[in-house]
Amino acid sequence: MKFKLEDAVIQEVLLPPEFGSVQLFVKREDRIHEHVSGNKYRKLLYNLKAAKDGGFDTLLTFGGAFSNHIAAVAAAGQAQGFKTIGVIRGEELTYKVADNPTLKFAKECGMQFQFVTREDYRYKTSPEFIEQLETRFGSFYLVPEGGTNELAVKGCEEILKDVQDDFDYICCAVGTGGTISGLINGSSSAQKILGFPALKGGFLSKDISKFARNTNWSLIEDYHFGGYAKINEDLISFINQFKKQYQIPLDPVYTGKMMYGILDLIKKGYFPKQSKILAIHTGGLQGIAGMNINLKRKQLPIID
């Protein structure tokens, strides 16, 4: 697979005068690859290498119905010659693959599915659950849900590898904590890393602390819009207007919420004057199609 790292450019967002002297830039990690973009490329990079070095021919991972991670593992596995298995949350999805853009794409990439109930899915990390999967599928390289492990963090540390140190703030959306952990480890001590969780609950700090070697970070927990994959018409309108104005597409689960939060904080004077902010676009755009299905069902506006 050809990854176009040169396309992960830094793009300035020219803010209107009312935003003051704060400067905002976006690192377009979403442009690395059509199907394995952003933090998914970073997280899988060293895991795929470890799988090959370990002699594995199969990748197994976990995810929900519209998981960016599931889609990326399926695409990367196909490109690198791995068989792939997706353990999917929600037994009711067994006969709905053709109606689900994410699962349909993963299946076209050769991914085999194991659908489990939401109750059983809670035990996905238990030794007994993994042993059952090994009994059914044989030997496999296990990639955690969301892709976060030490090798994933190592890959995410490289996001800032060629970035100037003159950015005062580095911002990113947060799901499982792997991306922000890599950014923390890859940042300079003078920079502040701000994470915008896509989930509510306040439990991420402990997970991030397992991997982060520095303390120059904090979580902004006011922009999850009610929880994971929860959105409203205000967020939809913001995402569509942002794309129209800056030609930068945002997804509704992660980067849309992050960017909404960044601009709201700038308006509120959170950032000191003349601050220079770098937002990391972590991809996830494949999820828009699935979200639009739900929005149409609820008779809400869709994402362009």
Side-chain angles (χ1 to χ4, degrees):
M1 178 178 293
K2 182 181 179 183
F3 294 106
K4 300 178 290 184
L5 289 178
E6 68 272 12
D7 284 350
V9 296
I10 294 178
Q11 180 175 339
E12 184 172 8
V13 176
L14 296 173
L15 299 174
E18 58 264 31
F19 283 81
S21 60
V22 173
Q23 291 180 282
L24 176 61
F25 298 80
V26 179
K27 190 164 193 285
R28 297 292 305 275
E29 294 274 301
D30 59 303
R31 295 176 54 178
I32 291 175
H33 188 272
E34 183 181 4
H35 301 301
V36 192
S37 67
N39 62 345
K40 299 311 174 191
Y41 163 73
R42 303 290 184 177
K43 289 181 175 183
L44 288 173
L45 178 64
Y46 291 108
N47 273 291
L48 293 183
K49 185 178 184 303
K52 284 199 171 183
D53 291 347
F56 293 93
D57 64 2
T58 303
L59 308 174
L60 182 142
T61 195
F62 309 88
F66 300 106
S67 167
N68 296 323
H69 175 68
I70 288 292
V73 170
Q78 182 185 50
Q80 298 294 328
F82 290 100
K83 291 181 283 188
T84 56
I85 301 165
V87 180
I88 309 299
R89 181 180 65 249
E91 206 172 26
E92 74 280 1
L93 295 166
T94 303
Y95 303 106
K96 298 179 180 179
V97 171
D99 300 321
N100 181 297
T102 299
L103 298 181
K104 183 173 181 289
F105 170 76
K107 183 179 180 180
E108 289 170 351
C109 291
M111 179 172 274
Q112 180 180 355
F113 299 126
Q114 171 73 26
F115 295 96
V116 299
T117 65
R118 283 165 169 75
E119 177 65 27
D120 288 344
Y121 193 81
R122 296 175 187 171
Y123 302 100
K124 62 185 177 296
T125 59
S126 70
E128 294 79 12
F129 193 91
I130 301 301
E131 186 176 340
Q132 290 175 15
L133 292 172
E134 289 175 335
T135 299
R136 173 163 186 177
F137 296 110
S139 178
F140 54 76
Y141 183 88
L142 180 64
V143 183
E145 182 180 33
T148 292
N149 57 17
E150 290 186 2
L151 291 175
V153 172
K154 177 182 178 182
C156 289
E157 289 176 8
E158 296 179 359
I159 294 174
L160 297 179
K161 184 177 180 181
D162 299 316
V163 172
Q164 300 285 334
D165 288 342
D166 60 347
F167 288 102
D168 304 296
Y169 294 88
I170 310 293
C171 299
C172 75
V174 182
T176 54
T179 303
I180 190 173
S181 297
L183 292 171
I184 293 165
N185 294 344
S187 65
S188 72
S189 58
Q191 293 172 324
K192 183 69 178 289
I193 312 300
L194 300 180
F196 292 77
L199 307 84
K200 64 178 180 179
F203 55 87
L204 282 165
S205 293
K206 184 177 180 181
D207 293 337
I208 295 167
S209 296
K210 295 177 184 177
F211 299 107
R213 296 191 294 269
N214 302 317
T215 59
N216 58 332
W217 61 278
S218 60
L219 297 179
I220 307 293
E221 302 187 26
D222 301 323
Y223 299 99
H224 52 65
F225 283 79
Y228 182 74
K230 302 289 185 181
I231 66 172
N232 58 26
E233 291 191 40
D234 186 27
L235 181 61
I236 297 169
S237 176
F238 169 80
I239 290 172
N240 287 338
Q241 182 58 35
F242 192 87
K243 181 181 179 182
K244 181 179 179 181
Q245 188 169 355
Y246 300 111
Q247 289 74 56
I248 300 176
L250 302 172
D251 84 285
V253 178
Y254 296 103
T255 57
K257 294 180 179 182
M258 171 196 69
M259 194 60 69
Y260 186 104
I262 292 171
L263 294 182
D264 190 53
L265 290 176
I266 294 174
K267 289 178 185 176
K268 292 177 177 177
Y270 177 91
F271 299 99
K273 293 180 180 179
Q274 299 184 349
S275 292
K276 196 172 178 182
I277 304 167
L278 179 65
I280 308 300
H281 195 314
T282 48
L285 299 176
Q286 72 83 30
I288 293 175
M291 179 62 74
N292 280 340
I293 291 175
N294 290 332
L295 293 175
K296 288 178 182 177
R297 188 180 300 126
K298 297 176 182 178
Q299 297 184 321
L300 292 170
I302 64 170
I303 299 165
D304 295 336

